[in-house]
Amino acid sequence: MAVKLVSSARHKNFYIRGTVGKQTVFESTRTSVRKEAEQYLAKRHAELWHEHIYGKRAVITFRQAVTAYLEVEKRSLSTQRYLERLVVYFADTQMSKITQVSVDKAYKHILADPEHAAATTKIRSVITPLRSVMEFAAIRDWCDRPAFKNPKTTSARTHFLRPDEASRLVMSAASHLQPLLIFLIGTGCRMSEAMELDWQHVDLKGNRCVVWQKQGNERHVDLPPVVIRTLTCLPWREGRVFRPGGQKKASNAAYHDSGRQYGGQIKSGWSYACKRAGLPGTVRRWTPKGAKREKVWFVPEITPHGLRHTWASWHYCIHKDIMRLQYDGGWSTVAMVSRYAKLMPDIYQDEIIQWWEHGPKGLEWPDETQEPLPNARIQNEQTLHSSPQKEKELLLARALLVAQEIIEDQRKIILSLRQS
């Protein structure tokens, strides 16, 4: 039976009904104008017949693939924004016709300043979302697996602080920021993990808290004495642990929840603290549109994420155990933590131990604050031995991580053989 236009008394829009090859078709034209419906019918009949002869690879467009990709599971807001820009450019381009040449041209139309755009920007805005959609399509046999070449990236410098610099940073920060900074330096948690930390997931007696990584994985974090003492000083015990604006305002407030799509919650306080602490950075000057006065802003060389780098470099300086660092920090591969192995010289070991136990020099604690319990686990003490249960957990974690590394290496080898 041929495909034809049909109407319904219940609906204003026209529908197409019939069969092409052995495929039954019944779908809306999304219009109540007959001329437009006839044009839609002619276009769809040609697509369906082409698909019947040559298969789906010949007809699936990028727009259709993205629609299916978004329907399968919920994607982040940032991913959706990147895909929207890709859809505007690729639109109804057949998936099988998207090549490296297409990607090179896409840079010029999608990026604001393609000539000066960093390689990481190209990868994040174009390559990664495009590759994800094409991998999704390839699994369904709509196209071949993507084989795009990433732009050449330069190795970024790993910024971290020495104990004296960390002390200056904390002492230079606003009073409501000091607990957050001490927590980040003492635990190595990501900013998003700290922002989302709730009191119900903090065990001061057990010296541990629970955070969730962006992949949804649960991670148990040991708290050193300085962090225990810092959290004990906070006057609230419900809701979010870290709050903005000082204690009076913080009692009823929480940092803005961006859904982990962007940061900047402590941008002003961070800039101010780094400048007062004498940390390196650059001064940016510009005149906002419509304003008469020039605006000046200090841009620190290190970002808040650098405190995680700081904790990792301190951790390895004390323990000299790369597998334990990976386990305690919640990284997925050993390769991601290997860069921290020789950042901090051994001469700083005693200062690090003192910092994680007593905090920055000069920091005044409230008189009613008690010292941490004597049985508090000191994660930075090299001479202390972990409990048997802790040792078993570490051994099991190391075995799992090694197995994971082997599996990942085998997967890369198989993929390279397929592409060659």
Side-chain angles (χ1 to χ4, degrees), residues 36 73 105 133 155 177 198 241 257 270 272 301 321 359 362 372:
E36 295 177 355
E73 63 180 84
K105 293 180 179 178
V133 173
S155 300
L177 273 184
D198 196 279
V241 174
D257 185 2
W270 177 260
Y272 177 76
E301 189 175 280
D321 189 336

Side-chain angles (χ1 to χ4, degrees), residues 48-67:
L48 293 168
W49 185 250
H50 198 59
E51 177 183 339
H52 170 65
I53 297 175
Y54 300 105
K56 282 187 175 292
R57 279 175 174 253
V59 296
I60 292 295
T61 65
F62 183 76
R63 190 193 306 275
Q64 293 171 330
V66 169
T67 301

Side-chain angles (χ1 to χ4, degrees), residues 249-306:
K249 180 180 177 181
S251 59
N252 296 314
Y255 282 102
H256 172 67
D257 185 2
S258 65
R260 297 192 176 187
Q261 300 306 308
Y262 54 87
Q265 290 92 337
I266 64 169
K267 182 178 180 180
S268 297
W270 177 260
S271 174
Y272 177 76
C274 290
K275 184 177 181 180
R276 284 195 62 193
L279 298 181
T282 58
V283 177
R284 182 188 172 201
R285 300 177 182 272
W286 80 102
T287 302
K289 186 176 181 180
K292 296 182 179 180
R293 286 188 175 183
E294 182 183 59
K295 193 170 184 179
V296 181
W297 185 262
F298 179 75
V299 182
E301 189 175 280
I302 187 172
T303 66
H305 190 72

Side-chain angles (χ1 to χ4, degrees), residues 159-202:
H159 295 284
F160 65 98
L161 301 177
R162 296 186 299 273
D164 62 311
E165 293 174 325
S167 295
R168 295 205 312 268
L169 175 66
V170 173
M171 297 302 297
S172 301
S175 58
H176 70 279
L177 273 184
Q178 289 179 340
L180 174 61
L181 300 183
I182 292 174
F183 177 83
L184 295 174
I185 297 172
T187 63
C189 285
R190 300 173 178 87
M191 178 63 73
S192 58
E193 295 171 343
M195 292 291 184
E196 297 174 1
L197 182 62
D198 196 279
W199 272 110
Q200 63 179 326
H201 301 130
V202 177

Side-chain angles (χ1 to χ4, degrees), residues 50-100:
H50 198 59
E51 177 183 339
H52 170 65
I53 297 175
Y54 300 105
K56 282 187 175 292
R57 279 175 174 253
V59 296
I60 292 295
T61 65
F62 183 76
R63 190 193 306 275
Q64 293 171 330
V66 169
T67 301
Y69 179 76
L70 295 175
E71 288 177 349
V72 166
E73 63 180 84
K74 186 178 180 180
R75 311 292 177 178
S76 67
L77 294 177
S78 60
T79 297
Q80 294 179 35
R81 288 197 294 268
Y82 292 141
L83 290 177
E84 286 175 2
R85 287 183 283 183
L86 289 174
V87 168
V88 170
Y89 176 72
F90 287 106
D92 294 321
T93 303
Q94 293 180 5
M95 293 293 292
S96 57
K97 293 184 179 180
I98 298 178
T99 62
Q100 182 66 49

